[in-house]
């Protein structure tokens, strides 16, 4: 069973914000002649890399709710110019909306067991995926989703 990571998506107001940020960063990387992969830099390196890379995703908390995920492709520890150990999380640039679930703020990232991860909206069976994100967010906040 795979293991996931959970992280705050600081600065994003919505899934659309996250998708636009990804597209912008990829365009900047292409303009510099770098691979158009999506990287997210963290300070700590996950210890359970093999479990995460066996199908794990990074779940994003946007405005107090787990809202979306991206499949993790690689985890690359490195040392920055100041000699500080850091880590690049390499993600598939496809953002998958998930069933919104409230989650309190935290620092860094957290492990998320597969059994505790919210389902993708596409697996929901109803019209939840067609509902505007803001309405989904509000209904989830009221405990109606």
């Amino acid at each position: 069973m795979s293991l996931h990571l959970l992280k705050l998506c600081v600065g994003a107001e919505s899934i659309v914000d996250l998708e636009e940020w990804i597209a912008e960063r990829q365009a900047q990387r292409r303009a510099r002649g770098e691979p158009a992969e999506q990287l997210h830099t963290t300070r700590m390196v996950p210890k359970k890399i093999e479990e995460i890379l066996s199908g794990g995703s990074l779940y994003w908390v946007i405005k107090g709710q787990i809202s979306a995920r991206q499949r993790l492709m690689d985890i690359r520890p490195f040392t920055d110019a100041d000699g500080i150990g850091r880590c690049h999380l390499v993600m598939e640039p496809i953002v998958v909306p998930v069933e919104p679930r409230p989650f309190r703020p935290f620092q860094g990232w957290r492990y998320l067991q597969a059994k505790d991860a919210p389902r993708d909206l596409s697996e929901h069976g109803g019209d939840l995926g067609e509902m505007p994100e803001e309405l989904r967010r509000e209904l989830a906040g009221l405990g109606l989703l």
Side-chain angles (χ1 to χ4, degrees):
M1 188 173 286
S2 59
L3 184 65
H4 306 289
L5 294 178
L6 182 65
K7 182 137 181 54
L8 295 180
C9 193
V10 178
E13 295 290 319
S14 65
I15 294 172
V16 171
D17 261 2
L18 174 60
E19 290 171 327
E20 289 172 353
W21 183 85
I22 291 167
E24 183 179 318
R25 296 290 296 228
Q26 285 188 306
Q28 291 170 353
R29 289 181 63 81
R30 278 193 292 274
R32 292 190 304 259
E34 299 172 356
E37 58 189 4
Q38 186 196 352
L39 304 175
H40 182 78
T41 305
T42 68
R43 188 174 52 104
M44 302 300 289
V45 179
K47 304 279 188 251
K48 302 175 181 184
I49 292 175
E50 285 184 30
E51 289 176 68
I52 295 167
L53 293 180
S54 68
S57 292
L58 177 65
Y59 281 77
W60 290 110
V61 176
I62 300 173
K63 292 185 74 175
Q65 292 183 351
I66 302 174
S67 300
R69 70 173 183 86
Q70 290 180 269
R71 192 165 65 91
L72 284 159
M73 308 295 289
D74 199 6
I75 296 174
R76 300 180 190 149
F78 70 98
T79 303
D80 70 10
D82 296 325
I84 299 170
R86 299 200 184 276
C87 176
H88 283 310
L89 302 176
V90 183
M91 295 169 285
E92 188 174 75
I94 299 167
V95 178
V96 179
V98 299
E99 292 177 333
R101 182 182 304 161
F103 207 90
R104 294 184 356 199
F106 59 94
Q107 290 186 335
W109 49 262
R110 301 283 182 267
Y111 288 116
L112 179 63
Q113 297 293 327
K115 65 180 178 62
D116 299 324
R119 293 185 305 170
D120 293 353
L121 283 183
S122 63
E123 296 176 5
H124 191 268
D127 294 330
L128 192 58
E130 303 300 317
M131 189 181 296
E133 181 182 356
E134 196 59 37
L135 182 56
R136 280 194 316 261
R137 180 176 302 287
E138 188 171 331
L139 290 173
L142 294 170
L144 299 173
L145 285 182

